[in-house]
mmCIF file with all atom_site columns, all heavy atoms in Angstrom:
data_model
loop_
_atom_site.group_PDB
_atom_site.id
_atom_site.type_symbol
_atom_site.label_atom_id
_atom_site.label_alt_id
_atom_site.label_comp_id
_atom_site.label_asym_id
_atom_site.label_entity_id
_atom_site.label_seq_id
_atom_site.pdbx_PDB_ins_code
_atom_site.Cartn_x
_atom_site.Cartn_y
_atom_site.Cartn_z
_atom_site.occupancy
_atom_site.B_iso_or_equiv
_atom_site.pdbx_formal_charge
_atom_site.auth_seq_id
_atom_site.auth_comp_id
_atom_site.auth_asym_id
_atom_site.auth_atom_id
_atom_site.pdbx_PDB_model_num
ATOM   1  N N   . TRP A 1 27  ? 116.355 98.554  100.965 1.00 90.00 ? 27  TRP A N   1
ATOM   2  C CA  . TRP A 1 27  ? 115.775 98.414  102.318 1.00 90.00 ? 27  TRP A CA  1
ATOM   3  C C   . TRP A 1 27  ? 116.209 97.056  102.850 1.00 90.00 ? 27  TRP A C   1
ATOM   4  O O   . TRP A 1 27  ? 116.544 96.975  104.145 1.00 90.00 ? 27  TRP A O   1
ATOM   5  C CB  . TRP A 1 27  ? 114.275 98.445  102.169 1.00 90.00 ? 27  TRP A CB  1
ATOM   6  C CG  . TRP A 1 27  ? 113.489 98.667  103.473 1.00 90.00 ? 27  TRP A CG  1
ATOM   7  C CD1 . TRP A 1 27  ? 112.901 97.770  104.196 1.00 90.00 ? 27  TRP A CD1 1
ATOM   8  C CD2 . TRP A 1 27  ? 113.321 99.890  104.207 1.00 90.00 ? 27  TRP A CD2 1
ATOM   9  N NE1 . TRP A 1 27  ? 112.227 98.280  105.312 1.00 90.00 ? 27  TRP A NE1 1
ATOM   10 C CE2 . TRP A 1 27  ? 112.530 99.562  105.230 1.00 90.00 ? 27  TRP A CE2 1
ATOM   11 C CE3 . TRP A 1 27  ? 113.719 101.175 103.919 1.00 90.00 ? 27  TRP A CE3 1
ATOM   12 C CZ2 . TRP A 1 27  ? 112.069 100.606 106.187 1.00 90.00 ? 27  TRP A CZ2 1
ATOM   13 C CZ3 . TRP A 1 27  ? 113.344 102.177 104.823 1.00 90.00 ? 27  TRP A CZ3 1
ATOM   14 C CH2 . TRP A 1 27  ? 112.587 101.887 105.981 1.00 90.00 ? 27  TRP A CH2 1
ATOM   15 N N   . GLY A 1 59  ? 101.673 100.705 103.238 1.00 97.00 ? 59  GLY A N   1
ATOM   16 C CA  . GLY A 1 59  ? 102.974 101.308 103.279 1.00 97.00 ? 59  GLY A CA  1
ATOM   17 C C   . GLY A 1 59  ? 103.940 100.202 103.523 1.00 97.00 ? 59  GLY A C   1
ATOM   18 O O   . GLY A 1 59  ? 104.924 100.309 104.355 1.00 97.00 ? 59  GLY A O   1
ATOM   19 N N   . ASP A 1 80  ? 101.881 99.713  98.527  1.00 96.00 ? 80  ASP A N   1
ATOM   20 C CA  . ASP A 1 80  ? 102.849 100.842 98.679  1.00 96.00 ? 80  ASP A CA  1
ATOM   21 C C   . ASP A 1 80  ? 102.847 101.697 97.484  1.00 96.00 ? 80  ASP A C   1
ATOM   22 O O   . ASP A 1 80  ? 102.427 101.274 96.374  1.00 96.00 ? 80  ASP A O   1
ATOM   23 C CB  . ASP A 1 80  ? 104.279 100.270 98.896  1.00 96.00 ? 80  ASP A CB  1
ATOM   24 C CG  . ASP A 1 80  ? 105.201 101.286 99.611  1.00 96.00 ? 80  ASP A CG  1
ATOM   25 O OD1 . ASP A 1 80  ? 105.666 102.184 98.973  1.00 96.00 ? 80  ASP A OD1 1
ATOM   26 O OD2 . ASP A 1 80  ? 105.428 101.087 100.819 1.00 96.00 ? 80  ASP A OD2 1
ATOM   27 N N   . VAL A 1 98  ? 98.010  105.176 99.799  1.00 96.00 ? 98  VAL A N   1
ATOM   28 C CA  . VAL A 1 98  ? 97.242  104.655 100.853 1.00 96.00 ? 98  VAL A CA  1
ATOM   29 C C   . VAL A 1 98  ? 96.053  105.573 101.137 1.00 96.00 ? 98  VAL A C   1
ATOM   30 O O   . VAL A 1 98  ? 95.028  105.191 101.829 1.00 96.00 ? 98  VAL A O   1
ATOM   31 C CB  . VAL A 1 98  ? 98.204  104.613 102.140 1.00 96.00 ? 98  VAL A CB  1
ATOM   32 C CG1 . VAL A 1 98  ? 98.422  105.982 102.704 1.00 96.00 ? 98  VAL A CG1 1
ATOM   33 C CG2 . VAL A 1 98  ? 97.716  103.645 103.166 1.00 96.00 ? 98  VAL A CG2 1
ATOM   34 N N   . GLY A 1 113 ? 103.242 99.845  109.260 1.00 98.00 ? 113 GLY A N   1
ATOM   35 C CA  . GLY A 1 113 ? 104.510 100.038 110.047 1.00 98.00 ? 113 GLY A CA  1
ATOM   36 C C   . GLY A 1 113 ? 105.234 101.322 109.628 1.00 98.00 ? 113 GLY A C   1
ATOM   37 O O   . GLY A 1 113 ? 105.651 101.425 108.485 1.00 98.00 ? 113 GLY A O   1
HETATM 38 C C1  . SAM B 2 .   ? 109.414 103.819 106.710 1.00 69.74 ? 1   SAM B C1  1
HETATM 39 S S1  . SAM B 2 .   ? 108.952 102.859 105.278 1.00 69.74 ? 1   SAM B S1  1
HETATM 40 C C2  . SAM B 2 .   ? 108.182 101.490 106.172 1.00 69.74 ? 1   SAM B C2  1
HETATM 41 C C3  . SAM B 2 .   ? 108.175 100.301 105.261 1.00 69.74 ? 1   SAM B C3  1
HETATM 42 C C4  . SAM B 2 .   ? 107.571 99.026  105.983 1.00 69.74 ? 1   SAM B C4  1
HETATM 43 N N1  . SAM B 2 .   ? 106.247 99.363  106.538 1.00 69.74 ? 1   SAM B N1  1
HETATM 44 C C5  . SAM B 2 .   ? 108.448 98.523  107.023 1.00 69.74 ? 1   SAM B C5  1
HETATM 45 O O1  . SAM B 2 .   ? 108.137 98.528  108.188 1.00 69.74 ? 1   SAM B O1  1
HETATM 46 O O2  . SAM B 2 .   ? 109.561 98.055  106.665 1.00 69.74 ? 1   SAM B O2  1
HETATM 47 C C6  . SAM B 2 .   ? 107.452 103.740 104.807 1.00 69.74 ? 1   SAM B C6  1
HETATM 48 C C7  . SAM B 2 .   ? 106.867 103.295 103.509 1.00 69.74 ? 1   SAM B C7  1
HETATM 49 O O3  . SAM B 2 .   ? 105.608 104.020 103.292 1.00 69.74 ? 1   SAM B O3  1
HETATM 50 C C8  . SAM B 2 .   ? 105.505 104.208 101.889 1.00 69.74 ? 1   SAM B C8  1
HETATM 51 N N2  . SAM B 2 .   ? 104.631 105.301 101.659 1.00 69.74 ? 1   SAM B N2  1
HETATM 52 C C9  . SAM B 2 .   ? 104.815 106.579 101.917 1.00 69.74 ? 1   SAM B C9  1
HETATM 53 N N3  . SAM B 2 .   ? 103.723 107.350 101.504 1.00 69.74 ? 1   SAM B N3  1
HETATM 54 C C10 . SAM B 2 .   ? 102.839 106.464 101.015 1.00 69.74 ? 1   SAM B C10 1
HETATM 55 C C11 . SAM B 2 .   ? 101.569 106.595 100.474 1.00 69.74 ? 1   SAM B C11 1
HETATM 56 N N4  . SAM B 2 .   ? 100.914 107.828 100.375 1.00 69.74 ? 1   SAM B N4  1
HETATM 57 N N5  . SAM B 2 .   ? 100.841 105.471 100.044 1.00 69.74 ? 1   SAM B N5  1
HETATM 58 C C12 . SAM B 2 .   ? 101.456 104.262 100.115 1.00 69.74 ? 1   SAM B C12 1
HETATM 59 N N6  . SAM B 2 .   ? 102.730 104.111 100.616 1.00 69.74 ? 1   SAM B N6  1
HETATM 60 C C13 . SAM B 2 .   ? 103.355 105.169 101.071 1.00 69.74 ? 1   SAM B C13 1
HETATM 61 C C14 . SAM B 2 .   ? 106.980 104.385 101.476 1.00 69.74 ? 1   SAM B C14 1
HETATM 62 O O4  . SAM B 2 .   ? 107.052 104.153 99.963  1.00 69.74 ? 1   SAM B O4  1
HETATM 63 C C15 . SAM B 2 .   ? 107.643 103.393 102.279 1.00 69.74 ? 1   SAM B C15 1
HETATM 64 O O5  . SAM B 2 .   ? 107.774 102.154 101.645 1.00 69.74 ? 1   SAM B O5  1
#
Side-chain angles (χ1 to χ4, degrees):
W27 197 258
D80 202 282
V98 79

